[in-house]
Amino acid sequence: MDNNIPDINELIKQFSKLPGLGPKSAKRIILKLINNKENMVKPLAKSLAQVYKNVVRCSDCGNLKIIDKVCICSNDNSYDKICVVESLADMWVIESANIYKGHYHILGGTLNSSENYEQKNLLIDSLLKRIKKNNLKEVIIATSATVEGQTTAHYIEDTINNNKIKITKLAQGLPVGGEIEQLDDGTLFSAFKNRVPVSDG
Ligand SMILES: [Zn+2]
């Protein structure tokens, strides 16, 4: 589908950046869209515009929320556990594996040993605030078994520095270098079930 229409080429370029798509599959998708302009392009464009306008990241918990609505993290104080993950994708994986039902804290990335979290804009200060405000009993650190994930976990353990709270980490069953998002449900389930305390509450 080589063509001289810049708008189409731009669209192919944008779609090619999506996970799992290369230029070839991007072209296939664009072709499908163009052939279904009314039923597909119109609702897709509308949907994207709505998400762009209305959905933001909550600055307290890192989850997505509707721009002018209160996030679930601030109007539900009935929880005593929080699961700390790197990304939204990790939260979705854990949720869909039915391992843990409860509140999450989405950092928005990881640290490597040479960085401080302020540079990275990770939501660690707000994690401390949530711990205080909600009288949490357990913080489950579910970062990946990568060097960055573990550096981040250590940093959080040190920063929480509160002996009333049990801090747990996913069990050693996680393959080294394993990213949460890539794990199968079974591995994730047992890592979660067998999570180990990193400090005694
Ligand atoms: Zn929130």
Side-chain angles (χ1 to χ4, degrees):
M1 199 169 67
D2 285 327
N3 64 81
N4 55 7
I5 304 173
D7 287 344
I8 298 285
N9 290 334
E10 179 58 27
L11 203 53
I12 294 171
K13 206 169 101 195
Q14 294 303 332
F15 269 78
S16 308
K17 293 178 190 164
L18 297 176
L21 297 185
K24 229 180 189 173
S25 32
K27 279 182 190 170
R28 268 210 304 276
I29 292 172
I30 306 307
L31 203 56
K32 176 89 180 174
L33 288 172
I34 304 291
N35 288 333
N36 296 275
K37 224 174 130 182
E38 276 307 305
N39 319 338
M40 293 182 107
V41 178
K42 207 174 169 185
L44 183 65
K46 194 177 155 201
S47 223
L48 286 174
Q50 289 289 101
V51 168
Y52 181 75
K53 203 172 92 193
N54 297 329
V55 180
V56 292
R57 194 174 167 221
C58 169
S59 57
D60 294 323
C61 70
N63 207 340
L64 298 178
K65 71 175 202 90
I66 297 169
I67 194 160
D68 49 8
K69 293 241 162 89
V70 175
C71 181
I72 184 165
C73 72
S74 63
N75 63 8
D76 175 7
N77 296 321
S78 62
Y79 57 97
D80 61 3
K81 280 192 194 76
I82 208 165
C83 178
V84 180
V85 291
E86 291 167 18
S87 67
L88 213 53
D90 290 351
M91 180 186 88
W92 285 348
V93 168
I94 294 170
E95 273 198 328
S96 68
N98 264 324
I99 300 164
Y100 166 83
K101 288 275 169 245
H103 280 262
Y104 288 86
H105 194 84
I106 301 147
L107 297 169
T110 49
L111 292 172
N112 68 44
S113 47
S114 63
E115 289 164 327
N116 70 50
Y117 78 90
E118 279 156 347
Q119 284 168 345
K120 272 277 183 132
N121 210 9
L122 301 185
L123 294 182
I124 294 179
D125 282 346
S126 61
L127 174 64
L128 301 180
K129 276 190 206 136
R130 289 181 78 195
I131 292 174
K132 230 185 204 164
K133 187 173 151 211
N134 297 295
N135 265 323
L136 294 186
K137 292 199 175 66
E138 183 180 356
V139 175
I140 305 165
I141 303 180
T143 51
S144 296
T146 55
V147 175
E148 290 80 10
Q150 293 311 299
T151 304
T152 311
H154 288 308
Y155 183 82
I156 292 172
E157 288 154 24
D158 291 348
T159 311
I160 291 177
N161 189 23
N162 178 337
N163 56 16
K164 289 195 194 87
I165 295 166
K166 191 167 151 198
I167 304 173
T168 54
K169 263 200 318 200
L170 300 193
Q172 297 300 318
L174 279 187
V176 174
E179 293 188 17
I180 302 289
E181 203 190 337
Q182 313 293 342
L183 296 177
D184 64 86
D185 287 3
T187 309
L188 199 51
F189 187 82
S190 78
F192 231 93
K193 275 277 167 228
N194 303 310
R195 61 186 185 268
V196 287
V198 294
S199 75
D200 291 321

